[in-house]
Amino acid sequence: MKVGRNDPCPCGSGKKYKKCCLEREKLSDLGYRRLSNAQQELVKKLTGYAVHEIGQSFVSGALIDFFQDDSEDPEDFFQLMMDEFSSVFWPWLFFTVDFGKADIEDLGMPGYVRPNMTVAEMYMQDKDSKLDPLELELLSVANRTQFSFYEAVAVQPGQGFQAKDLLTGQMYMVSDVLASQDLEQGDILYALIIEVQGYAISIGSASYKLYPRFKPEIIQFRKELEEDFGSVTNGVLMEVDSELRDFFMALQQALFEMPEMCNTDGDPLSFRTLHYEIDSPEDAFQSLAPLCVHQTEEELRDQAELDEKSQVQAVRFAWSREGHTLSKGLDNTTLGHIRIEGDRMTIEVNSEAREERIKEEIDKRLGEKATYKVTDIRSLESVMAEGSSETPSWRQDEAEQEALSNSPEVQEAIRGVLGQHWEGWLDSELPALGGKTPRQAVQTEDGREAVQALLRDVEISDKSSNMPVSQQPYVDWARKELGLPDT
């Protein structure tokens, strides 16, 4: 909340805000703006120096090294990549990279490029007499400082954020008005952060933030560095510059990559409808009803369309099995849907493996009483396109749907499913935790950190979810069960 001039000062002094911290904060804002302006002007000068004085061939060679691409016609590739990565490339070029004699010759950069010197060092050497003290301090502090992954531990919108370097463990209170307006606690930035004149500022940052679910991978990367180097320092990060950039690029790509869609058995999604001709709908029903483990034959018959002799003529029910692969708290897993209508039967499944399994079940249970005709196969893309072009019936009346979502009975049912899911989640083996369950993972410090990140990711997603029931109480419960502190 904004503090009024005549309000009590938030520092607890008992004085009015205008008589206490207001002027100090104005001075602080002035100092930050002065530093920010100087940093922006310095970037312009360094860019001009690199392009015009050192030469375009130097920048082109650095682009090849940064993106690790040496194609014969790189212009389009570099333009595409620079549109996304320029805010990382230029600070890296100015402050991190240097080239030895062999590199300079290999990349075709002889002449003005000085071996084993960064752009910042060459610039300070050439422009020493023209640099004001603030520019010189900025250059000196930023020089040979490496990018890293920073978690927003706390955010003060409009002012800045407290950042933890996830690789070195260092903490900073970063002054950044724009970034603080977009960040949430738990978000992760790939950035180059320095401290100058009492301010921590970012002088380079990736265009897109990473969500907390990426933190376990960063923790694993940190563990590998610790195994190789003992502890992670800025010097270590400079030494593994190429590996660090590769890792960042992989995470950035994963941020926008459509994950491979699989069902609960891990089979790639493939939407299939099997068509059969059957001799008797009643016989087919009796033979296949046991494939539905969560409803009895009597319950299914109550839902069916019967003839005058109480024989099934049409019915639709789930093919299911007991238990759930991904959540031990769920009682069953739906594998497909069976529809019987007169002398026709269709089965809908979502993978090739399940198609083969249901064919075997039908052959075993019905034999010659069912004749397989054909399988219609649709891709995930076609299903999604169909879904976007057709309005499902449940969305035709938004008022009715909203009323249904707000129904106490519906919300209670959702709570029951969520409760089962979260009870099972604690003991589910998760790929993000290296195949460990959350209960197992929290036995180590790294594991506790990773589990906290996954829970925080759920909290952030929950804020934008349309679900009528919040998952926050279940996240709070999971933290308590696992002995984790509130974030």
Side-chain angles (χ1 to χ4, degrees), residues 20 23 36 66 81 130 274 297 396 398 406 426 438 448:
C20 189
E23 293 303 318
S36 180
F66 184 82
M81 297 299 279
K130 299 179 181 179
L274 290 70
E297 182 177 329
Q396 291 175 1
E398 294 185 1
N406 292 329
L426 298 181
R448 291 169 72 85

Side-chain angles (χ1 to χ4, degrees), residues 308-409:
E308 65 278 1
K309 296 180 180 181
S310 297
Q311 300 286 292
V312 169
Q313 292 301 296
V315 67
R316 188 175 190 272
F317 57 93
W319 168 36
S320 59
R321 67 161 180 247
E322 294 182 350
H324 196 281
T325 307
L326 299 182
S327 179
K328 297 180 181 179
L330 298 180
D331 295 332
N332 59 79
T333 302
T334 298
L335 304 175
H337 292 92
I338 300 170
R339 182 173 184 174
I340 298 170
E341 192 167 7
D343 62 353
R344 305 282 180 179
M345 178 172 69
T346 57
I347 299 95
E348 296 176 349
V349 294
N350 61 13
S351 73
E352 182 180 4
R354 288 182 180 177
E355 176 186 358
E356 295 306 315
R357 287 178 57 191
I358 196 63
K359 280 181 176 178
E360 293 174 3
E361 290 288 349
I362 291 171
D363 287 345
K364 180 175 65 176
R365 294 168 184 269
L366 284 171
E368 295 181 354
K369 295 180 181 180
T371 303
Y372 169 73
K373 306 301 289 184
V374 70
T375 296
D376 295 328
I377 303 176
R378 293 185 299 163
S379 66
L380 175 61
E381 290 76 15
S382 69
V383 172
M384 293 175 67
E386 179 181 306
S388 63
S389 62
E390 297 182 7
T391 303
S393 58
W394 57 269
R395 299 184 79 177
Q396 291 175 1
D397 188 339
E398 294 185 1
E400 182 180 337
Q401 177 62 26
E402 184 176 354
L404 181 63
S405 297
N406 292 329
S407 163
E409 292 80 9

Side-chain angles (χ1 to χ4, degrees), residues 144-322:
R144 297 190 183 274
T145 300
Q146 180 59 280
F147 277 81
S148 190
F149 295 96
Y150 293 89
E151 179 183 18
V153 178
V155 180
Q156 296 178 344
Q159 297 184 43
F161 59 98
Q162 187 179 17
K164 179 182 180 181
D165 187 329
L166 292 177
L167 299 181
T168 69
Q170 286 186 273
M171 299 289 291
Y172 299 90
M173 187 59 221
V174 181
S175 299
D176 194 320
V177 174
L178 292 178
S180 66
Q181 293 172 345
D182 182 54
L183 285 176
E184 294 226 32
Q185 180 190 1
D187 286 341
I188 299 168
L189 293 177
Y190 183 69
L192 198 164
I193 293 176
I194 62 171
E195 287 184 311
V196 179
Q197 297 190 352
Y199 296 91
I201 60 171
S202 170
I203 58 172
S205 179
S207 301
Y208 302 99
K209 64 184 181 182
L210 298 170
Y211 298 109
R213 63 178 175 272
F214 290 97
K215 187 176 177 180
E217 294 182 64
I218 297 172
I219 292 172
Q220 181 58 37
F221 184 78
R222 181 181 71 203
K223 287 175 65 175
E224 293 171 4
L225 291 180
E226 289 171 342
E227 290 171 1
D228 291 340
F229 296 96
S231 61
V232 183
T233 63
N234 180 71
V236 168
L237 296 182
M238 292 288 290
E239 189 171 339
V240 298
D241 172 58
S242 179
E243 292 88 340
L244 180 61
R245 277 184 289 113
D246 282 347
F247 181 57
F248 158 65
M249 294 289 190
L251 294 185
Q252 190 84 349
Q253 182 178 357
L255 185 63
F256 298 100
E257 208 170 53
M258 174 73 80
E260 183 181 14
M261 303 298 287
C262 298
N263 61 24
T264 52
D265 293 330
D267 305 324
L269 285 183
S270 175
F271 298 92
R272 295 162 179 255
T273 303
L274 290 70
H275 297 268
Y276 282 83
E277 286 184 359
I278 54 177
D279 293 347
S280 164
E282 176 67 29
D283 289 347
F285 171 72
Q286 290 188 24
S287 299
L288 300 181
L291 293 177
C292 180
V293 302
H294 63 283
Q295 286 184 288
T296 66
E297 182 177 329
E298 290 73 20
E299 290 172 331
L300 295 176
R301 188 178 290 276
D302 288 341
Q303 302 168 14
E305 181 183 323
L306 308 177
D307 62 14
E308 65 278 1
K309 296 180 180 181
S310 297
Q311 300 286 292
V312 169
Q313 292 301 296
V315 67
R316 188 175 190 272
F317 57 93
W319 168 36
S320 59
R321 67 161 180 247
E322 294 182 350

Side-chain angles (χ1 to χ4, degrees), residues 13 53 72 116 135 138 155 202 258 275 325 445 461 484:
S13 66
E53 296 192 40
E72 293 182 4
N116 305 312
E135 287 180 325
L138 277 166
V155 180
S202 170
M258 174 73 80
H275 297 268
T325 307
E445 189 60 38
S461 300
L484 298 173

